[in-house]
Amino acid sequence: MSSITNRDWSSHPAYLSPEYKSSTLRGVSQSLVKIDPELAELTGPAFGPEVVGPLDHDLTKNGRVNGEPLGERIVVTGQVFDEFGQPVANTLVEIWQANAAGRYVHKADQHEAPLDPNFLGSGRCLTDAEGRYKFYTIKPGAYPWGNHPNAWRPNHIHFSLFGPSIATRIVTQMYFPGDPLLPLDPIFEATPAAARDRLISDFSLDVTEEGFALGYIFNIVLRGVNATPVEA
């Protein structure tokens, strides 16, 4: 990879989105300085099979202590593409999420919902030769988040991908089709309207595993005019 194109900011949320109050505290307040990318941004990091454990892709198993995690089991799969529509092989995909009751395994989360002792809420995998990834997990619950009165986050899964270089790394969120909280969520709404559908997974009966888990497809484009929007 010898060069990169600029991000298409018409597909991504603005640095400052007033309805999403945290963005006004952490967003850019001064004009950005353009810096030409150097070799460090145009290469690596590279990850191999040694960074992934045998259960890292299966969140229904990697946190078990004394039984099955509670909630609706799902399969999330898709392909990772570069800006030219080519699959990105052997790239690290990491996810984290709330449990079925809408609570994260994190000391900062004091939501009065139960923790699941058998659910860790995080996982990772590498894409295969065709850029495909696959996770087994529990459908995350909605939760209150205090941005405004009676504010609730829609069901969502956080994704972090590195791609072939630092310049292609993105952090984004995957949502579920038909969620009534989507039009009420300032984080989702911060993404330009024309690109919001790229954040919503597709239900798939073909991916669904009979008697075990419902299936969802979420394809990810790392850069370019069809890029998956970054997290607001």
Side-chain angles (χ1 to χ4, degrees):
M1 185 176 185
S2 59
S3 64
I4 57 172
T5 59
N6 292 328
R7 286 204 185 275
D8 176 19
W9 286 105
S10 67
S11 300
H12 301 289
Y15 289 118
L16 300 176
S17 301
E19 295 300 317
Y20 175 24
K21 293 181 180 178
S22 294
S23 74
T24 62
L25 300 175
R26 69 187 187 195
V28 176
S29 60
Q30 299 183 35
S31 298
L32 299 177
V33 177
K34 180 176 175 58
I35 300 175
D36 290 331
E38 298 179 350
L39 185 61
E41 288 79 35
L42 300 176
T43 58
F47 299 97
E50 70 280 356
V51 306
V52 179
L55 293 179
D56 282 357
H57 72 291
D58 191 343
L59 283 68
T60 70
K61 295 180 179 179
N62 67 15
R64 284 188 189 177
V65 175
N66 56 14
E68 295 272 354
L70 300 176
E72 177 186 325
R73 289 182 297 230
I74 61 173
V75 183
V76 179
T77 188
Q79 281 182 283
V80 179
F81 299 98
D82 66 16
E83 61 186 297
F84 306 108
Q86 298 301 309
V88 180
N90 302 314
T91 196
L92 184 66
V93 182
E94 298 176 295
I95 65 170
W96 65 98
Q97 61 170 92
N99 65 21
R103 187 166 177 185
Y104 290 92
V105 181
H106 193 284
K107 63 182 180 181
D109 189 347
Q110 297 300 309
H111 173 31
E112 293 183 2
L115 286 169
D116 187 337
N118 296 300
F119 187 71
L120 183 62
S122 62
R124 56 169 47 185
C125 72
L126 291 172
T127 57
D128 67 13
E130 298 300 321
R132 296 188 183 92
Y133 72 88
K134 187 175 185 179
F135 288 102
Y136 291 92
T137 188
I138 299 296
K139 188 175 183 180
Y143 58 83
W145 65 300
N147 183 75
H148 55 276
N150 206 14
W152 291 77
R153 291 288 347 263
N155 311 110
H156 64 279
I157 298 175
H158 297 268
F159 276 73
S160 169
L161 296 92
F162 277 94
S165 73
I166 291 295
T168 55
R169 183 173 187 268
I170 68 168
V171 177
T172 189
Q173 298 184 28
M174 184 201 94
Y175 299 94
F176 292 84
D179 193 323
L181 291 174
L182 288 175
L184 305 175
D185 182 55
I187 296 180
F188 178 75
E189 289 286 301
T191 297
R196 286 175 197 155
D197 284 349
R198 303 177 201 173
L199 295 171
I200 302 175
S201 60
D202 293 314
F203 171 73
S204 172
L205 196 59
D206 291 333
V207 172
T208 294
E209 297 188 10
E210 185 173 359
F212 182 74
L214 295 179
Y216 294 87
I217 297 173
F218 185 57
N219 294 324
I220 300 168
V221 180
L222 298 178
R223 210 173 178 91
V225 296
N226 297 313
T228 302
V230 298
E231 188 172 278

